[in-house]
């Protein structure tokens, strides 16, 4: 019997192990993504919804934290006599649920067969935070990490692991309780930032910044956000954005997640913590093979990364923005974070070429209402694209 050398055996084992490790591709943001992620094969344009069984007799329920698809929540939970009799709060809904926002301002949730589970009055549910203003909780959804959000007119489909786990339908002129503005306007929560409307189709927008020092004072309900994002630029509301937030959960902490915000439904990815001094990378990259934006935010120091896929914004009609926002934030220097410097700001066309607009065509703003309480606010965009500085006086 021949003896096989131990070195040969180890080499064979090493090669076998390498064969089963999934290939990983790196990009210029310092992040990496497994090539195992595949585009959904579901053609949502061919989906036919079941006949929805409306029940006007159901009592309205409270919705305080959004309507979030959850694989462990079953439809039968909402069909018990105890649930129907009580005025219970709801946040988790079954996979396959259909959310229907009607013009009368009522949101109804159905199971995948079309049976109504419950209803809620949009004007009476809680208004919850989104990076574009407060929105009725019935319109806000936290989805599993890596979900694909597919917008088709008045419908939105959440696809996860190649299954539709949530369908959202919005009748025209439905009441959502959201405060929105066209990209050309300056929403009231925007403190300072820059905006640029490319003439070329955009294929990527990447920015990097350091988590600033936290505000020295924070009042109840105050939330501060810092983000890079792409707005719709066609008169319709909508933005996709990697967001660093201060105090989103009311716990005086920095957190990161991706948001897709629109008046027909708002989606947010898994949330992770972040710390002052950490490096954040926000990356919005168009994948032409999938026809989706891959939107990610990464804490380089911790390695935490939160992705979402979206087709909300057109590559040929969008606006790039870098922004500092404040919600329920006093106009007082103590309530601002430290200065923010966005670096490595890279815009690329769908052809892969770098879009380098002159600094003069990048619009910088400080909102007058905020400046009146802190005249140290200032935007320096002269070194675009290498850096954009949002000074806060701290």
């Amino acid at each position: 019997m021949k003896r096989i050398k131990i070195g040969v055996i180890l080499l064979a084992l090493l090669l076998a192990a390498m064969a089963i490790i999934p290939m990983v591709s790196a990009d210029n943001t310092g992040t990496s993504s497994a090539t195992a992620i595949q585009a959904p094969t579901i053609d949502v344009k061919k989906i036919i919804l079941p006949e929805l069984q409306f029940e006007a007799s159901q009592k309205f329920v409270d919705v305080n934290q959004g309507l979030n698809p959850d694989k462990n929540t079953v439809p039968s939970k909402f069909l018990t006599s105890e649930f129907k009799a009580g005025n219970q709060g709801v946040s988790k809904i079954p996979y396959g649920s259909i959310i229907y926002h009607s013009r009368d301002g009522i949101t109804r949730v159905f199971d995948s067969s079309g049976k109504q589970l419950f209803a809620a009055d949009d004007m009476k549910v809680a208004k919850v935070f989104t990076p574009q203003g407060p929105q009725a909780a019935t319109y806000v959804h936290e989805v599993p990490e890596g979900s694909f959000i597919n917008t088709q007119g008045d419908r939105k489909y959440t696809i996860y692991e190649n299954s539709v786990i949530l369908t959202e339908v919005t009748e025209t002129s439905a009441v959502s309780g959201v405060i929105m503005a066209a990209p050309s306007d300056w929403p009231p929560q925007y403190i300072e930032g820059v905006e640029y409307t490319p003439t070329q189709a955009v294929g990527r927008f990447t920015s990097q910044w350091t988590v600033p020092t936290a505000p020295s004072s924070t009042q109840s309900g105050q939330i501060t956000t810092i983000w890079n994002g792409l707005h719709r630029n066609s008169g319709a509301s909508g933005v996709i954005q990697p967001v660093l937030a201060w105090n989103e959960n009311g716990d005086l902490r920095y957190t990161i997640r991706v948001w897709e915000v629109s008046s027909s439904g708002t989606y947010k990815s898994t949330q992770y913590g972040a710390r002052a001094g950490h490096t954040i990378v926000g990356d919005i990259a168009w994948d032409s093979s999938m026809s989706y934006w891959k939107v990610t935010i990464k804490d380089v120091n911790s390695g935490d990364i939160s992705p979402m896929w979206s087709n909300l914004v057109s590559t040929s009609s969008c606006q790039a923005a870098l922004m500092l926002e404040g919600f329920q934030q006093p106009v007082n220097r103590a309530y601002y974070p430290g200065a923010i410097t966005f670096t490595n700001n890279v815009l690329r066309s769908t052809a892969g070429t770098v879009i380098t607009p002159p600094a003069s065509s990048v619009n910088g703003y400080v909102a007058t209402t905020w400046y009146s309480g802190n005249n140290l606010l200032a935007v320096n965009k002269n070194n675009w694209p290498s850096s954009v500085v949002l000074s806060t006086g701290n």
Side-chain angles (χ1 to χ4, degrees):
M1 179 182 294
K2 288 186 177 181
R3 291 186 178 181
I4 302 175
K5 293 183 179 181
I6 188 67
V8 176
I9 295 174
L10 291 175
L11 177 60
L13 292 173
L14 176 60
L15 291 172
M18 291 173 65
I20 62 173
I21 294 174
M23 294 297 293
V24 173
S25 60
D27 57 34
N28 63 2
T29 66
T31 67
S32 63
S33 57
T35 56
I37 296 177
Q38 301 293 329
T41 59
I42 297 170
D43 186 350
V44 297
K45 295 179 181 178
K46 295 182 179 179
I47 292 177
I48 299 176
L49 294 182
E51 183 177 351
L52 302 181
Q53 303 165 39
F54 289 82
E55 293 187 24
S57 61
Q58 283 187 343
K59 292 183 178 180
F60 291 150
V61 300
D62 293 329
V63 181
N64 298 317
Q65 301 175 4
L67 294 174
N68 309 317
D70 176 66
K71 65 180 179 180
N72 297 317
T73 299
V74 296
S76 58
K77 167 186 175 180
F78 303 97
L79 303 176
T80 63
S81 57
E82 290 83 2
F83 180 85
K84 290 181 178 180
N87 185 21
Q88 302 185 32
V90 176
S91 62
K92 296 179 180 180
I93 58 178
Y95 272 14
S97 292
I98 302 166
I99 299 174
Y100 193 94
H101 307 294
S102 59
R103 282 187 293 269
D104 58 5
I106 304 302
T107 290
R108 296 172 177 85
V109 177
F110 303 83
D111 68 13
S112 58
S113 70
K115 187 173 183 62
Q116 183 171 313
L117 301 179
F118 60 86
D121 185 335
D122 295 333
M123 298 305 295
K124 294 182 179 180
V125 301
K127 297 295 188 292
V128 298
F129 162 80
T130 82
Q132 295 298 303
Q135 194 168 15
T138 42
Y139 279 73
V140 181
H141 322 292
E142 182 171 347
V143 297
E145 187 173 291
S147 292
F148 289 75
I149 313 301
N150 189 309
T151 301
Q152 297 292 332
D154 63 353
R155 296 186 183 183
K156 284 178 173 284
Y157 301 92
T158 299
I159 305 171
Y160 179 65
E161 296 182 342
N162 208 33
S163 295
V164 176
I165 63 171
L166 182 65
T167 301
E168 186 169 20
V169 182
T170 306
E171 286 187 351
T172 305
S173 302
V175 178
S176 69
V178 65
I179 298 174
M180 297 293 295
S184 58
D185 297 326
W186 195 256
Q189 72 271 10
Y190 283 17
I191 298 174
E192 57 181 349
V194 301
E195 294 177 320
Y196 173 68
T197 304
T199 56
Q200 298 171 260
V202 174
R204 190 163 201 168
F205 181 35
T206 304
S207 291
Q208 177 178 310
W209 65 96
T210 300
V211 181
T213 55
S216 58
S217 297
T218 305
Q219 71 172 12
S220 178
Q222 175 191 335
I223 301 173
T224 305
T225 64
I226 301 162
W227 52 269
N228 69 310
L230 290 177
H231 275 285
R232 278 179 168 178
N233 196 36
S234 58
S237 63
V239 60
I240 49 178
Q241 50 194 152
V243 176
L244 168 71
W246 166 256
N247 201 42
E248 181 183 335
N249 306 313
D251 55 3
L252 305 181
R253 291 192 310 129
Y254 276 113
T255 53
I256 57 172
R257 68 162 97 225
V258 170
W259 290 79
E260 179 198 287
V261 185
S262 76
S263 57
S264 58
T266 290
Y267 295 78
K268 53 186 178 180
S269 67
T270 303
Q271 185 185 72
Y272 292 98
R275 295 184 178 181
H278 281 199
T279 299
I280 302 298
V281 175
D283 186 40
I284 307 170
W286 179 251
D287 189 320
S288 58
S289 67
M290 297 188 182
S291 296
Y292 282 94
W293 294 99
K294 182 181 181 183
V295 191
T296 60
I297 187 165
K298 180 176 182 178
D299 182 326
V300 175
N301 298 76
S302 68
D304 290 329
I305 183 170
S306 190
M308 181 188 289
W309 299 77
S310 168
N311 71 343
L312 179 69
V313 176
S314 169
T315 58
S316 59
S317 181
C318 61
Q319 183 181 61
L322 303 171
M323 202 65 58
L324 169 67
E325 294 182 280
F327 302 84
Q328 298 187 37
Q329 178 171 309
V331 186
N332 182 304
R333 178 178 167 184
Y335 293 86
Y336 292 81
I340 303 105
T341 301
F342 292 96
T343 60
N344 299 322
N345 304 298
V346 179
L347 270 170
R348 291 184 181 272
S349 70
T350 49
T353 58
V354 176
I355 302 172
T356 308
S360 59
S361 66
V362 178
N363 298 314
Y365 302 94
V366 176
T368 304
T369 53
W370 295 93
Y371 185 83
S372 63
N374 181 5
N375 58 13
L376 296 177
L377 292 172
V379 175
N380 185 339
K381 60 184 180 65
N382 294 333
N383 293 319
W384 169 277
S386 60
S387 72
V388 170
V389 181
L390 307 184
S391 298
T392 62
N394 294 328

